Amino acid sequence: MRNAITIARKELSIYFTTSWAYLVFTGMLLVSSFFFVAMLESFKQVQQMARAMSWARLPPDWAMYKNLTDGVIVPLWGVVMIITLFVAPFLSMRLFAEEKRHKTFELLMTSPVRPMEIVLGKYLGGLAAISATLGLTIVFPAVLSIFGRSESGSALEWSTVLLGYAGLLLWGAACMAVGMFISSLTESQALAAFLTFAVLLPWMLLKGLAQNAEEPLRSIVNYISFDAQLQNMTKGVLDLKSIVFFGSVILFSVLLTQRAVEAQRWA
Amino acid sequence: MAMIEVKNLTKRYRDRVAIDGLNFSVNEGEILGFLGPNGAGKTTTMRILTGFLPASEGTAKIAGFDVFEQPMEVKRRLGYLPETPPLYPEMTVRGYLEFVARLKGVPGHKLDEEVDRVSGQTGVKLVLHRVIKNLSKGYRQRVGVAQALLNNPPVLILDEPTEGLDPTQRAEIRSLIRGLAGNHTVILSTHILHEVQMTCEKVLIINQGKIVAFDEIKKLTSASGQTEQVSLEEIFIKLTAA
């Protein structure tokens, strides 16, 4: 475990000494701020309309705009989830591909370190990077809780907000695990990023495909779709099934990476 | 006592045979010069010895441990400089050496001492604070050598350690390697025959994956029955011309 932490620390120091992490942070903050402002704006408009006409005369879908949590934060988490899909491959692509390109993979493999420790170290480093990226978005609910007002005490329902956020972290962790596995298969970072994206995007959109499928295929596809798994969590419903699902995706990816790392020797 | 023992070592890449039934051993404290033309199988042999590649057949033992059966025991006793120095361009020299020292199991309170020791030996003390990607080729190569010396491993496997160095630096690394004899067992691969003559007592020459000579340099150069001395270069060319 000591070795895994050594490797994780090295990963983090490289993320933060190069401009990569900062670029990803900036991208995440810029895009999510844009959506945050847009969502606040539509929230304000609906609220004004409701004040003029009363909620009963507005479409029933708009009921979510009754409070800041459902009206702003829940849809915002949905957007951050999609941004994560775009930024996670940029963070995960270098994990193994870069080691192989710089020939430092040979150093790791000839040091007294087990392949599993290398994989865990890399994954922990990547996990810290994605958590830092997602951590920035906590600023939005914080702003709302400081400046927001509601008729019933606190401006936000923190349990819903944080559960949604935990869902996001799970999603980010799964993206990094899948990205790490793909990075362990190639020497090219660009290819690793592209393949990761090409795997994650359809996986996320599987739910749409499921609509037209027949049972039992439909339930299966629905179950393995990222989107369907995340739906409850982002709405603030604790769903053990999703935790098990994402936990399995992560575990499976880590094990596959370990196999891939060991298999390099047999190539 | 044989520190490195290689028996019938063979490596095939699909149908191409990279090395074919190598047998040799290196005694404790010896420096073995490992020669051969490009593509003869030197790097493959070294990669097998370090546990980076598995052999197709045969066994290799380091300090009595089989490289395939007990890779962790072997790796703990081994310092390895691959063909391309394995450096992280974004790290500083000190950060890099500390990272490798940690991986090799140097305890936290000894890190500074150990980094200072190897950087003094390889002459990289003045660049410890610099970022590796800004270093000259010679310095990078020396950082690669420094990395192999961390935790003072009893066995060193150096794949062209003087590559890219100027004559002065080359002489420094040579004398460093000569100084390792006795306490360390070293396999040194190089293209520069003159260098082998100056650093090693024994030489192993391979060609197309097979051993063509494995003897003391003195015996090789004083051809039997003849009074005139031949140079290692002539022997090399004669043996590898096929």
Side-chain angles (χ1 to χ4, degrees), chain A residues 69-102:
Chain A
T69 311
D70 293 329
V72 179
I73 296 299
V74 170
L76 180 70
W77 283 165
V79 170
V80 173
M81 186 180 140
I82 292 166
I83 307 172
T84 308
L85 177 76
F86 284 88
V87 300
F90 286 105
L91 288 174
S92 67
M93 65 180 188
R94 47 165 299 281
L95 285 173
F96 278 95
E98 196 177 54
E99 298 273 356
K100 282 191 247 169
R101 202 169 55 89
H102 288 150

Side-chain angles (χ1 to χ4, degrees), chain B residues 147-218:
Chain B
Q147 160 277 125
L149 296 172
L150 282 166
N151 209 19
N152 207 12
V155 178
L156 282 160
I157 294 186
L158 309 173
D159 202 345
E160 300 183 2
T162 53
E163 183 76 12
L165 301 184
D166 63 39
T168 322
Q169 295 167 338
R170 220 170 252 177
E172 281 167 16
I173 293 294
R174 229 170 16 230
S175 75
L176 167 68
I177 294 171
R178 260 204 311 271
L180 294 170
N183 303 318
H184 299 80
T185 310
V186 184
I187 293 190
L188 170 71
S189 112
T190 175
H191 278 123
I192 305 151
L193 297 167
H194 166 69
E195 205 159 88
V196 177
Q197 242 160 341
M198 289 171 74
T199 14
C200 315
E201 298 104 61
K202 257 185 151 177
V203 61
L204 173 71
I205 305 177
I206 64 170
N207 187 28
Q208 294 181 343
K210 290 194 172 117
I211 294 182
V212 290
F214 177 46
D215 213 335
E216 283 175 27
I217 296 178
K218 271 183 285 185

Side-chain angles (χ1 to χ4, degrees), chain B:
Chain B
M1 191 196 122
M3 203 63 174
I4 301 172
E5 236 186 318
V6 171
K7 279 194 187 134
N8 193 30
L9 201 66
T10 303
K11 175 74 187 176
R12 283 183 223 99
Y13 294 105
R14 292 202 175 84
D15 39 354
R16 194 173 69 83
V17 181
I19 54 170
D20 191 1
L22 299 190
N23 281 296
F24 65 90
S25 66
V26 189
N27 289 329
E28 198 173 345
E30 262 183 355
I31 301 183
L32 177 74
F34 191 22
L35 305 176
N38 284 326
K42 295 190 299 281
T43 298
T44 302
T45 310
M46 292 184 154
R47 284 184 165 171
I48 295 173
L49 286 177
T50 54
F52 184 65
L53 279 181
S56 310
E57 264 172 55
T59 57
K61 279 185 179 171
I62 297 221
F65 297 102
D66 189 294
V67 293
F68 189 68
E69 307 283 335
Q70 291 161 294
M72 291 301 270
E73 293 300 324
V74 169
K75 287 171 186 178
R76 260 180 219 126
R77 288 164 176 78
L78 205 73
Y80 174 41
L81 171 69
E83 218 176 358
T84 319
L87 308 173
Y88 297 98
E90 303 88 354
M91 289 176 105
T92 62
V93 176
R94 180 178 284 283
Y96 170 73
L97 290 176
E98 277 180 3
F99 167 66
V100 180
R102 278 213 178 87
L103 282 188
K104 290 192 172 186
V106 175
H109 61 278
K110 283 200 174 147
L111 278 180
D112 277 349
E113 197 184 309
E114 190 61 12
V115 169
D116 283 347
R117 184 181 69 84
V118 297
S119 53
Q121 272 183 315
T122 50
V124 296
K125 253 202 170 127
L126 288 174
V127 296
L128 275 179
H129 61 281
R130 283 179 58 187
V131 176
I132 291 174
K133 69 174 164 205
N134 300 332
L135 294 180
S136 66
K137 194 163 185 238
Y139 269 123
R140 281 187 215 184
Q141 186 69 27
R142 284 193 274 171
V143 174
V145 177
Q147 160 277 125
L149 296 172
L150 282 166
N151 209 19
N152 207 12
V155 178
L156 282 160
I157 294 186
L158 309 173
D159 202 345
E160 300 183 2
T162 53
E163 183 76 12
L165 301 184
D166 63 39
T168 322
Q169 295 167 338
R170 220 170 252 177
E172 281 167 16
I173 293 294
R174 229 170 16 230
S175 75
L176 167 68
I177 294 171
R178 260 204 311 271
L180 294 170
N183 303 318
H184 299 80
T185 310
V186 184
I187 293 190
L188 170 71
S189 112
T190 175
H191 278 123
I192 305 151
L193 297 167
H194 166 69
E195 205 159 88
V196 177
Q197 242 160 341
M198 289 171 74
T199 14
C200 315
E201 298 104 61
K202 257 185 151 177
V203 61
L204 173 71
I205 305 177
I206 64 170
N207 187 28
Q208 294 181 343
K210 290 194 172 117
I211 294 182
V212 290
F214 177 46
D215 213 335
E216 283 175 27
I217 296 178
K218 271 183 285 185
K219 284 189 191 158
L220 280 176
T221 49
S222 61
S224 56
Q226 291 175 344
T227 44
E228 66 173 317
Q229 284 252 323
V230 280
S231 77
L232 191 59
E233 193 164 345
E234 287 169 60
I235 296 167
F236 180 85
I237 291 169
K238 205 177 95 196
L239 287 172
T240 57

Side-chain angles (χ1 to χ4, degrees), chain A residues 178-201:
Chain A
V178 171
M180 174 174 75
F181 169 59
I182 292 171
S183 174
S184 74
L185 301 176
T186 168
E187 252 184 57
S188 153
Q189 297 194 41
L191 187 64
F194 174 75
L195 281 179
T196 307
F197 185 69
V199 167
L200 290 176
L201 184 68

